Amino acid sequence: MIQTIRNAFSIPDLRKKILYTIFIVFIFRIGTAIPVPFLDSGALQTLMSNMTGGENNLLGYVNLMSGGAFENATLFAMGISPYITAQIIIQLLTVALPPLERLAKEGTEGRKKLNNITRFTTIGLGVVQGVMYYFMLKSSNVVKEYDSKFVNIYVGVFIVACFCAGTALVMWLGEQINKKGIGNGISILLFAGIVSSGPKVINQFRAWWSLAESGSKGYYFVIPAVCIAFLAIVWFIVFMQNSERKVPVQYAKRVQGRKMVGGQKSYIPIKVNMSGVMPIIFASSIVAIPATIRLLVYGSKQPDTFWYKFLSVFSNNSMIYPMIYFILIILFAYFYVTIQYNPIEIANNLHKNNGAIPGIRPGKNTIAYLSKIISRITLLGALFLSVIAVVPIVINVFTNIGIDFGGTSVIILVGVALETVTQIESQMLMRHYKGFLE
């Protein structure tokens, strides 16, 4: 392993990319420490601490995506969530709107135009989300109040402008990694933000140990149980991320000029987890809507009203929350795979290249066969995502031990690590070096 790392750094251009990526991550972490004026970070941290469940509630999810910047009321408080949302929206509209679909098929120039549309969409979402966060924080007494109405309006505009500027800067940093660094920029920044919460996890272990020493002997078993469960989840995620169904394909022989070409055997790889972590992001956004409405309307207040009780039913500390979350992940997994993988297009490409699946007739039979395989594989991958995401929530509901890290963060960590290592591996193999995956 050490020799592999030395080989990676011995390649000048690869070393430059790795160091540049580390530099961008360093700038990102500086931005998460720059406070936004007129916000009471102490009141915000108190609000965050009162909402148990870690990443499994609205503010905890925002804090996860921002790398801990939200709970500290810093410049990057909104993180990259508006950019991720904009990418998802444009990706969905590319399938639904013919003009965007034509742009996606125009090659490099079309992708540049789509990227520009995504950037403008990110800024628009940043404004909307910044205004929403401002009113949410104001209702929770996190925003400092002044006697002058004009000053309060200025404070609100300034806070929203800081949130939007931070979002734009994070988007730019991610794009710089894509251009000059190694790995996917947004994924790398997400990875860095989640890793930065490591000291918080260690403090949680210390708290459990203190509880065990003070008389709660059961906590002596919590720490090793959580460590073993974490290692098992990591192994399971790696196994599922690398698992795929190989559909065999036979290409017919044909005469091309004076040569006989074709007659080769190949396969279509269909990954078990084709949608990645996107269904979890979709489902988290939808299932957090009741909590968002409750925070916007009531803030930190707890009135004895019907609507407050109704919205509280969908909070993360009730059993309804993980049930809805589980169902939404499965539904969004099918939805995402449907717009990403078209069996009709795959069957047409096979037909154009004189390829066929052994034992399956071309045309409708091939489409039906591929649809059945993709449907079954998607169900397996969706169940995998649902279990990983929901189990920590259920444990918190029944045991109330306060696990602040969950399946979403672990899936992101493992997925980004595998993706980045694969990219380094491919670049090293191009230069005849042995890599990480040997």
Side-chain angles (χ1 to χ4, degrees):
M1 185 68 176
I2 297 176
Q3 184 62 37
T4 301
I5 297 175
R6 290 179 59 186
N7 288 340
F9 274 88
S10 65
I11 305 172
D13 56 340
L14 187 56
R15 179 176 65 246
K16 188 182 298 184
K17 289 182 178 181
I18 295 174
L19 293 177
Y20 184 82
T21 302
I22 295 174
F23 174 70
I24 294 295
V25 170
F26 176 72
I27 295 177
F28 171 72
R29 293 308 303 165
I30 291 177
T32 58
I34 300 175
V36 174
F38 310 116
L39 290 180
D40 188 350
S41 59
L44 181 56
Q45 290 181 359
T46 301
L47 177 65
M48 294 288 293
S49 62
N50 291 334
M51 297 184 67
T52 59
E55 70 184 47
N56 304 315
N57 60 68
L58 174 67
L59 299 186
Y61 179 72
V62 173
N63 193 53
L64 169 70
M65 302 293 280
S66 64
F70 185 82
E71 66 179 356
N72 296 318
T74 60
L75 181 63
F76 292 165
M78 288 201 304
I80 59 176
S81 57
Y83 187 46
I84 293 176
T85 305
Q87 285 185 323
I88 294 171
I89 291 174
I90 298 302
Q91 197 172 25
L92 296 178
L93 292 179
T94 301
V95 180
L97 299 180
L100 294 180
E101 187 178 0
R102 286 194 295 268
L103 283 178
K105 296 179 179 180
E106 289 180 2
T108 304
E109 292 300 322
R111 285 195 297 270
K112 287 182 179 179
K113 294 179 181 179
L114 284 177
N115 289 336
N116 288 332
I117 295 174
T118 303
R119 294 188 187 102
F120 286 115
T121 306
T122 301
I123 299 301
L125 289 175
V127 173
V128 174
Q129 196 166 329
V131 171
M132 183 187 71
Y133 287 163
Y134 167 73
F135 284 109
M136 182 189 303
L137 297 176
K138 185 177 181 180
S139 63
S140 301
N141 299 321
V142 176
V143 180
K144 297 179 181 179
E145 292 286 341
Y146 297 88
D147 296 332
S148 173
K149 184 177 180 180
F150 175 78
V151 173
N152 289 329
I153 294 175
Y154 168 77
V155 167
V157 173
F158 187 83
I159 291 174
V160 173
C162 287
F163 284 161
C164 294
T167 297
L169 185 55
V170 171
M171 176 179 64
W172 182 80
L173 291 175
E175 291 180 348
Q176 294 308 303
I177 293 179
N178 292 336
K179 293 178 182 178
K180 304 177 183 179
I182 193 77
N184 181 278
I186 298 303
S187 300
I188 292 294
L189 295 182
L190 267 178
F191 183 89
I194 296 173
V195 170
S196 66
S197 63
K200 184 186 296 185
V201 176
I202 295 175
N203 290 333
Q204 191 174 48
F205 282 171
R206 290 176 178 175
W208 288 343
W209 188 262
S210 299
L211 289 173
E213 290 181 337
S214 62
S216 301
K217 301 300 181 181
Y219 280 92
Y220 279 124
F221 302 97
V222 171
I223 296 177
V226 169
C227 293
I228 294 173
F230 175 78
L231 294 176
I233 289 174
V234 170
W235 176 87
F236 185 54
I237 292 173
V238 173
F239 175 77
M240 294 298 289
Q241 293 279 35
N242 294 329
S243 299
E244 60 183 19
R245 167 72 185 273
K246 297 180 179 180
V247 180
V249 177
Q250 177 70 47
Y251 291 96
K253 293 182 179 180
R254 67 183 187 276
V255 177
Q256 186 172 350
R258 296 184 177 181
K259 295 181 180 179
M260 182 73 71
V261 297
Q264 299 177 347
K265 292 183 179 180
S266 184
Y267 62 88
I268 302 174
I270 302 177
K271 296 185 70 67
V272 173
N273 186 23
M274 292 183 286
S275 54
V277 75
M278 286 302 175
I280 292 181
I281 295 176
F282 281 147
S284 299
S285 302
I286 298 299
V287 80
I289 290 177
T292 305
I293 297 174
R294 189 182 68 175
L295 283 173
L296 286 173
V297 176
Y298 301 103
S300 57
K301 302 176 183 178
Q302 297 181 359
D304 188 16
T305 61
F306 168 78
W307 287 112
Y308 180 82
K309 293 180 179 179
F310 175 76
L311 294 174
S312 299
V313 171
F314 300 96
S315 63
N316 63 291
N317 55 2
S318 69
M319 277 306 300
I320 294 180
Y321 181 93
M323 293 170 61
I324 297 176
Y325 196 22
F326 186 92
I327 296 172
L328 285 177
I329 291 175
I330 295 178
L331 293 178
F332 278 118
Y334 272 99
F335 174 74
Y336 191 81
V337 170
T338 300
I339 66 174
Q340 287 291 319
Y341 297 90
N342 189 353
I344 298 176
E345 185 176 352
I346 297 174
N348 289 336
N349 290 334
L350 285 177
H351 182 69
K352 291 177 183 178
N353 292 283
N354 294 323
I357 300 174
I360 306 296
R361 289 187 176 184
K364 294 183 179 179
N365 291 341
T366 300
I367 296 172
Y369 180 75
L370 290 174
S371 299
K372 183 176 68 173
I373 291 179
I374 291 176
S375 178
R376 292 179 177 178
I377 293 296
T378 301
L379 178 60
L380 185 60
L383 291 175
F384 149 70
L385 290 175
S386 301
V387 170
I388 295 296
V390 170
V391 165
I393 306 175
V394 176
I395 292 176
N396 275 331
V397 171
F398 282 102
T399 63
N400 198 27
I401 61 176
I403 299 178
D404 285 334
F405 53 92
T408 305
S409 57
V410 178
I411 291 175
I412 294 174
L413 285 176
V414 176
V416 174
L418 289 175
E419 179 185 0
T420 306
V421 166
T422 302
Q423 286 197 22
I424 297 176
E425 170 79 7
S426 62
Q427 296 200 26
M428 292 180 66
L429 288 177
M430 289 172 60
R431 297 164 177 84
H432 308 290
Y433 280 96
K434 294 180 179 179
F436 292 93
L437 304 180
E438 185 187 38

